[in-house]
Amino acid sequence: MKNLVTKNARVLYVPELRLVELKCDGFLSYEDVATVAEYAHKMIQFYKLTKCIVNLQHIRRYAADSEEYLRNIWYGKLLLAGVRQIAFVVPEDVLGRYSMERVHTSDAVKKIRRHYFSDEASAKAWLSNPEA
């Protein structure tokens, strides 16, 4: 399965860590978020993965409908697909952090083991640790 690269987002398979990395930059419309999120979900299913990195370091905020979609639909899909660990790279922007925190109130995301980081290297190190 090919990686997906758009103007403001990337979905990458990282074979050496057996994970999907989702990176977002700037502002993404609801359509962009849904496209990228669904592609990441399909990639997780295709490779039968249990962990991923969601890098939101450079995101400003989510479009209003995106928060609801991620909170109520996408994280539930990840849980059903077998995702057990997510490493988040926290947005630098205050509005981006606020949007992320609101999305992470869902029951589905709370059932997935997750940790929050300020950089991608630390996130990858946590996921590569067998004890993580």
Side-chain angles (χ1 to χ4, degrees), residues 31-44:
E31 291 79 17
D32 293 337
V33 168
T35 297
V36 169
E38 288 302 317
Y39 197 88
H41 176 248
K42 288 177 185 171
M43 189 174 275
I44 286 164

Side-chain angles (χ1 to χ4, degrees), residues 27 56 59-64 66-68 70-71 75 91 93-105:
F27 176 80
L56 304 172
I59 199 163
R60 286 191 216 109
R61 66 178 173 85
Y62 297 123
S66 299
E67 287 185 20
E68 185 176 335
L70 293 167
R71 183 175 45 246
Y75 284 111
D93 183 84
V94 173
L95 290 176
R97 276 195 307 273
Y98 180 67
S99 288
M100 182 192 75
E101 289 167 1
R102 288 195 321 210
V103 167
H104 293 183
T105 61

Side-chain angles (χ1 to χ4, degrees), residues 39 88 117 127:
Y39 197 88
F88 292 95
F117 300 91
L127 286 172

Side-chain angles (χ1 to χ4, degrees), residues 50-89:
T50 61
K51 52 191 175 179
C52 65
I53 293 176
V54 179
N55 188 336
L56 304 172
Q57 188 170 20
H58 301 293
I59 199 163
R60 286 191 216 109
R61 66 178 173 85
Y62 297 123
D65 293 344
S66 299
E67 287 185 20
E68 185 176 335
Y69 163 76
L70 293 167
R71 183 175 45 246
N72 297 330
I73 298 171
W74 191 62
Y75 284 111
K77 285 183 166 187
L78 293 186
L79 186 62
L80 290 173
V83 171
R84 298 295 173 253
Q85 294 176 271
I86 301 177
F88 292 95
V89 181

